[in-house]
Amino acid sequence: MKTAAQRIKTADTIELVPQILHLKKILVPTDFSETSKKAVQYALRFAEQFGCEIALLYVVEPATPMIGAPLAVEPFTDKDEFSIAEKDLAALALESRTDGAHSVSSFVRVGHAPNEITKAAKDLDSM
């Protein structure tokens, strides 16, 4: 029994991927967990293979006041948390550059993580 689909050689597929995707920038959201650090490593491999940039993103989510909590609860993000995130993300970007990536930038945003990741992808015109 013959099937209509033909098996494509892996090497041929890999050669076609850069032509199809036209990767310029890869957005890599991170929370500094081991899983997200693995995602950074995968992104580095893609960037190296396709010659594109990497944008690392960390989102600081502001504390939200609880219903019925006194108004003295601070709904804004602690500036120390933002500073620490910037420092840690810059270190990760520097480490990524030494691992062979040509262009790695880092961004810290404040807001609801899923929304900020989506906005960053649009703002940075990334995949």
Side-chain angles (χ1 to χ4, degrees), residues 28-30 32 56-59 83-96 104-109:
V28 186
T30 183
F32 303 110
L56 300 175
L57 173 67
Y58 180 80
V59 179
S83 298
I84 291 169
E86 280 184 320
K87 182 180 136 201
D88 291 347
L89 197 58
L92 182 59
L94 182 62
E95 180 183 317
S96 299
V104 180
S105 53
S106 60
F107 303 91
V108 178
R109 290 183 171 218

Side-chain angles (χ1 to χ4, degrees), residues 51-121:
C52 57
E53 301 174 32
I54 292 180
L56 300 175
L57 173 67
Y58 180 80
V59 179
V60 178
E61 294 202 56
T64 54
M66 297 174 65
I67 295 175
L71 293 177
V73 174
E74 181 64 43
F76 299 104
T77 304
D78 184 10
K79 291 187 191 273
D80 289 338
E81 183 181 358
F82 190 88
S83 298
I84 291 169
E86 280 184 320
K87 182 180 136 201
D88 291 347
L89 197 58
L92 182 59
L94 182 62
E95 180 183 317
S96 299
R97 282 187 207 104
T98 60
D99 285 345
H102 299 285
S103 179
V104 180
S105 53
S106 60
F107 303 91
V108 178
R109 290 183 171 218
V110 176
H112 182 60
N115 293 346
E116 292 304 318
I117 292 167
T118 303
K119 287 179 191 175

